[in-house]
Amino acid sequence: MPKTLVTYPLPTPRLKDFCEKWDGVVVPKGTTVDEAFLMREGAGCEALVTLLNHPVTRRVLEACPRLRVVANAAAGFDNVDVAAARGRGVFVTNTPGVLDRATADLTWALILACCRRVVEADRFLREGRFHGWEPDLLLGMDLNGKVLGVVGMGRIGTEVARRAGAFGMKVAYHGPTAAPPPFPAEAMDLDALLGAADVLTLHVPLTPSTRGLLDRRRLMRMKPGAVLINTSRGAVVDEGALAELLASGRLRAAGLDVYEREPAVHPGLMGLSNAVLLPHIGSAGEETRRTMADWALENAGRVLGGGAPLTNVWPLDTLSPFVKNP
Ligand code: GLV
């Protein structure tokens, strides 16, 4: 029985050494890593190194009694039942910080693509419809002077907002902050932000309080003609309602990197030329993905070596009663 299960061949040269040191088995690409797989293959393991779409449920945790750490190679950890893990003294770790800039860059790629109709314009040209410059061809939204509304001014939200100045946008936001943002930004309650933002961008983790946060009622409160960007988690938005508001023109466009039931995408979105749809690539920069993999392995290795992980997602001050290997 291996000591460690790495549920995907992570893109880092360190994987080989890690597996040699910690008796690791790497699950080949293309394998369906579902609850039943993890219950079966993880049964004797002390560490699971997982991806964000691999469900580490209570049943998985119960089926892996020797488990000491679930090291997720992602910033998000909504795929892990953290309360159940914590109750069993199993560390849960993520990779915060290392993907903020990459995710912020992709968020801006979506903002620009939506506001300036980049994907639609590319399609237009390839379809042979470009017959020469015209003053009103494919007009979009100017960014200068518009309001960028940020829901969730955490690490990624801050990086997104930091870039707004370069485009002449004003920043407004909703959500708690560790410190005031290091640039001009107006805090607002959510409903006020929905009404003020020309471009609304979501940067919240998926938790019971953010699931369905942008429901139909809140989507209807967005400024008419506004743009919605989501690079956080799909289940924060009611996709069906969003598709209707885009189809009717009530909202100008949406740029989505995440979906309620990945890899499925709501069929109502698929045919819309004002929806830019990406396959969850927010952090997919080469160095970023390598660093995320390294952090996950580092966290797992630290726990397997008897220490504490770098980025446990439990509140640190409540750790001690649960630590099995201090
Ligand atoms: C990506 O979505 C992540 O959580 O790292």
Side-chain angles (χ1 to χ4, degrees):
M1 271 288 189
K3 203 169 178 161
T4 308
L5 189 70
V6 182
T7 62
Y8 189 90
L10 294 171
T12 169
R14 293 199 194 167
L15 184 58
K16 192 167 168 288
D17 285 354
F18 174 88
C19 287
E20 275 165 24
K21 183 161 181 191
W22 299 115
D23 190 10
V25 161
V26 179
V27 176
K29 225 172 160 145
T31 309
T32 301
V33 181
D34 55 12
E35 188 184 55
F37 179 92
L38 289 172
M39 288 172 73
R40 192 174 63 245
E41 301 300 322
C45 289
E46 292 180 34
L48 294 178
V49 181
T50 47
L51 304 188
L52 59 84
N53 47 357
H54 295 165
V56 186
T57 60
R58 179 179 291 275
R59 274 157 56 90
V60 169
L61 293 161
E62 284 167 2
C64 305
R66 300 178 62 203
L67 199 61
R68 292 196 280 155
V69 58
V70 178
N72 225 31
F77 46 87
D78 46 279
N79 58 310
V80 184
D81 186 333
V82 178
R86 184 174 168 177
R88 303 179 67 85
V90 175
F91 289 111
V92 179
T93 68
N94 66 339
T95 65
V98 301
L99 45 70
D100 306 343
R101 290 187 174 86
T103 307
D105 291 348
L106 191 92
T107 302
W108 275 96
L110 282 172
I111 294 172
L112 290 163
C114 287
C115 291
R116 297 300 303 275
R117 303 170 66 180
V118 173
V119 176
E120 201 184 336
D122 177 276
R123 210 170 286 144
F124 174 89
L125 181 143
R126 288 170 200 267
E127 286 169 358
R129 296 162 61 199
F130 178 38
H131 303 303
W133 191 86
E134 290 172 59
D136 53 355
L137 180 62
L138 287 159
L139 297 184
M141 184 203 286
D142 280 317
L143 294 183
N144 188 44
K146 299 287 171 25
V147 175
L148 177 70
V150 179
V151 181
M153 190 63 98
R155 291 188 181 89
I156 297 173
T158 299
E159 282 302 321
V160 171
R162 195 193 297 286
R163 287 152 173 73
F167 293 96
M169 292 188 82
K170 291 175 255 177
V171 175
Y173 70 97
H174 172 74
T177 52
F183 39 73
E186 188 180 348
M188 292 185 177
D189 69 38
L190 184 54
D191 279 352
L193 187 71
L194 296 174
D198 298 289
V199 176
L200 189 79
T201 184
L202 307 179
H203 302 288
V204 290
L206 181 62
T207 65
S209 61
T210 61
R211 188 175 286 280
L213 185 70
L214 270 271
D215 57 8
R216 181 180 296 274
R217 184 188 72 81
R218 289 213 172 95
L219 288 168
M220 291 290 294
R221 286 186 176 241
M222 284 178 67
K223 194 167 172 173
V227 170
L228 178 70
I229 305 294
N230 189 10
T231 58
S232 62
R233 285 293 183 267
V236 175
V237 179
D238 178 339
E239 269 176 18
L242 175 63
E244 284 172 29
L245 294 173
L246 289 169
S248 70
R250 173 77 167 64
L251 293 178
R252 177 187 290 258
L256 307 176
D257 187 42
V258 289
Y259 305 91
E260 270 183 277
R261 278 173 282 279
E262 291 179 16
V265 177
H266 192 285
L269 292 169
M270 291 296 267
L272 295 175
S273 61
N274 56 348
V276 178
L277 307 174
L278 301 182
H280 204 150
I281 54 167
S283 61
E286 289 167 6
E287 292 90 347
T288 299
R289 283 284 165 87
R290 188 167 64 238
T291 311
M292 289 165 69
D294 287 345
W295 271 63
L297 298 180
E298 178 73 22
N299 274 319
R302 283 186 183 229
V303 177
L304 290 167
L310 290 171
T311 54
N312 187 33
V313 306
W314 311 351
L316 285 174
D317 57 353
T318 60
L319 265 182
S320 44
F322 303 102
V323 176
K324 284 181 178 168
N325 283 294

